[in-house]
C-alpha cells in the first residue's frame, strides 16, 4: 500500500536565514491529491498566523513536498 507523507518548511528570503522544517497536524495521506491540497491549505494557515510585519520583514514563505512511501 502506498501513502504520501507531507514535509513542510517555513523559509525566509533574507540572506543567512535557512528554511525550518515545520510539524504538521496531519502528515500521512492516501494519495497525492489529498497531500497537495492539505499542503497548500496548511501553508495558508501558517502564513496567516504570522503578523504582516514579520512576513514582510523576514520575507517569509513556505515550501512543501509530498513524498510517496510504501507501507506494510
Amino acid at each position: 500500500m502506498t501513502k504520501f507523507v507531507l514535509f513542510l518548511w517555513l523559509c525566509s528570503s533574507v540572506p543567512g536565514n535557512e528554511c525550518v522544517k515545520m510539524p504538521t497536524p496531519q502528515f500521512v495521506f492516501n494519495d497525492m491529491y489529498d497531500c497537495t491540497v492539505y499542503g497548500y491549505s496548511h501553508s495558508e494557515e501558517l502564513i496567516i498566523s504570522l503578523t504582516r510585519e514579520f512576513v514582510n520583514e523576514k520575507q517569509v514563505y513556505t515550501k512543501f513536498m509530498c513524498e510517496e512511501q510504501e507501507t506494510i
Side-chain angles (χ1 to χ4, degrees):
M1 174 179 256
T2 301
K3 297 284 186 181
F4 288 81
V5 177
L6 175 67
F7 297 96
L8 187 135
W9 296 268
L10 187 63
C11 302
S12 169
S13 294
V14 174
N17 289 344
E18 296 182 11
C19 294
V20 176
K21 188 173 177 199
M22 300 298 292
T24 57
Q26 181 177 354
F27 60 91
V28 178
F29 301 87
N30 291 325
D31 60 20
M32 184 69 167
Y33 179 87
D34 286 344
C35 184
T36 301
V37 168
Y38 185 84
Y40 281 113
S41 175
H42 190 65
S43 290
E44 180 183 28
E45 289 175 15
L46 184 58
I47 294 297
I48 289 172
S49 74
L50 304 171
T51 66
R52 178 179 300 270
E53 292 77 17
F54 180 79
V55 172
N56 288 334
E57 180 184 327
K58 303 297 183 187
Q59 301 175 15
V60 173
Y61 64 96
T62 61
K63 67 178 183 178
F64 71 89
M65 65 180 252
C66 296
E67 185 174 284
E68 189 174 9
Q69 293 191 349
E70 291 292 323
T71 60
I72 298 174

